[in-house]
Amino acid sequence: MLHECIDGLHIDPAGIYVDVTFGGGGHSKAILAKLGPEGRLFSFDQDPDAWEQAEKIDDERLTLITANFRYLEKYLRLHRVKQVDGILADFGVSSFQLDAPERGFSIRFDGPLDMRMGPSASMTAEELLNSYSAEELQRILGMYGEVKNARTLAQAIIQARTRKPLETTQEFKEILNKLAPKHREFKYFAQVFQAIRIEVNQELAVIEEFLAQAPTVLKPEGRLVIMSFHSLEDRLVKNFIKAGNVQGKEDKDLFGVVHRPLESVIRKPITASEEELKINPRSRSAKLRIAAKL
C-alpha cells in the first residue's frame, strides 16, 4: 500500500519527514520523489541489511539513522531537528529478513534460531527457547501468538531441549509439527514464530515508546502514518490515536471533551485492495491508520 502511505503523509515539498522503518527503502524513495530541494528525510533502521540498501541511494536530502526507532526523539535532536511534518512507520517484517535463511525469521527455510531485527537485540530466539521457563513460554505464545495450545507447546519445548538444545528453525518446526492442527499447519507455524519474534525484539514495547514520542516530534497538523500487520500492533496504534495512550483510556474534562494529541483523518483503517493482494499476498493482514496532530 505504498501509494496510500505516501498520500497519507500529505507531503509538503519543503518539509521534513521521517521513515522510521527504512527496510528495503521503498517508502523512503517514494517520499524523496515528492520532496523538493529544500526537503529532508530521516530514515531509521537497526538492520545492517537495510543499511546496505540505503547506501545505494545517492541523495543529500536523505539521512540514515542506524538505530531503533524507539529512540526517535533523541536522534532527531542530535541532528538538530525538533519537529517534523510527517512520520511513517511500517511495522511488518521486511522481505530481506523473511527471505534470508540465516536470519531465522521464515518458516520456509532452515536456518539458525536468530530472529533479531538488529544487532542490538539482547537475545536470540535460540537463547529464548533454551532458557525461558514453561510459564514464560506459555505466556508469550498465548499473548503474542494467540496459540491455543500454548501450555502443551511450552511443555514440549522444555522436553525437547532437555535432550538437546534447540539450534535451528528445522529443529523447532519438528516440535511444532506434532502439535499443529491438521490443515492449519502454516498458520500455526506463523503464529508461533510471530510470538517468539515479538519477544526477542520487544516489538510492542518499542511501538509504545515510539507512539509516546510521536506527538512531541510532529508539528501542528503533522501527519502520523502507520501500517500494522497484526492485531496487537494495530490495537496499540488505534488506542493511541483515539485516547492518547496505548490503553485506550480517554481523558475527559468536566464537559466530556476528550484530550488527545492526535486525531484520525480517516473513518476506518485502510486495507489492501484486491489488486494489491494479487501483487503482494503479505499485505492481506495490513491495516493503515492515518492521524494528524491537533
Side-chain angles (χ1 to χ4, degrees), residues 44-267:
F44 283 71
D45 211 297
Q46 60 182 330
D47 192 330
D49 288 340
W51 305 346
E52 291 182 12
Q53 296 302 313
E55 288 178 358
K56 300 175 183 178
I57 301 177
D58 183 17
D59 195 319
E60 292 182 353
R61 299 170 300 172
L62 171 65
T63 299
L64 179 70
I65 298 173
T66 57
N68 191 304
F69 61 85
R70 73 194 312 168
Y71 306 116
L72 172 69
E73 192 173 3
K74 170 187 172 181
Y75 278 96
L76 288 179
R77 283 185 174 178
L78 287 175
H79 287 276
R80 298 180 181 179
V81 175
K82 291 183 178 179
Q83 290 190 312
V84 302
D85 296 274
I87 303 171
L88 171 66
D90 177 351
F91 293 148
V93 181
S94 75
S95 297
F96 292 100
Q97 292 166 334
L98 285 172
D99 295 337
E102 68 274 12
R103 302 297 298 273
F105 285 103
S106 178
I107 62 178
R108 293 180 294 144
F109 311 112
D110 186 25
L113 282 165
D114 194 319
M115 298 194 195
R116 291 174 298 168
M117 288 188 169
S120 61
S122 60
M123 73 170 73
T124 64
E126 178 182 346
E127 291 168 333
L128 184 157
L129 289 168
N130 287 302
S131 65
Y132 271 33
S133 67
E135 292 76 17
E136 289 173 316
L137 289 169
Q138 180 182 343
R139 175 184 62 81
I140 65 172
L141 291 167
M143 186 182 301
Y144 299 153
E146 299 176 308
V147 178
K148 292 183 178 179
N149 60 353
R151 183 177 181 181
T152 304
L153 176 54
Q155 292 292 346
I157 293 169
I158 299 293
Q159 291 174 4
R161 78 189 194 195
T162 58
R163 296 188 294 270
K164 177 187 178 297
L166 298 173
E167 297 177 346
T168 68
T169 54
Q170 184 58 41
E171 291 172 349
F172 188 37
K173 287 190 291 183
E174 287 172 6
I175 300 172
L176 304 185
N177 265 322
K178 298 173 184 177
L179 299 172
K182 287 186 177 180
H183 310 300
R184 296 184 61 203
E185 291 87 353
F186 184 87
K187 182 178 180 181
Y188 184 77
F189 285 7
Q191 288 175 303
V192 173
F193 271 56
Q194 172 183 293
I196 303 301
R197 190 199 78 221
I198 288 174
E199 179 72 4
V200 165
N201 297 286
Q202 296 293 298
E203 292 176 33
L204 300 185
V206 168
I207 291 172
E208 289 184 26
E209 292 177 33
F210 160 69
L211 288 172
Q213 297 170 66
T216 303
V217 169
L218 282 171
K219 295 178 181 178
E221 299 185 11
R223 292 290 184 92
L224 178 65
V225 178
I226 299 180
M227 188 151 58
S228 305
F229 285 82
H230 58 74
S231 60
L232 296 172
E233 297 171 338
D234 183 60
R235 190 177 302 122
L236 295 177
V237 178
K238 177 183 178 181
N239 286 346
F240 194 85
I241 293 173
K242 174 187 174 184
N245 58 73
V246 295
Q247 292 80 29
K249 296 179 181 178
E250 295 183 335
D251 178 21
K252 297 182 180 179
D253 62 19
L254 294 173
F255 303 99
V257 178
V258 178
H259 294 280
R260 60 181 185 271
L262 304 173
E263 183 174 40
S264 179
V265 298
I266 52 177
R267 290 185 59 190

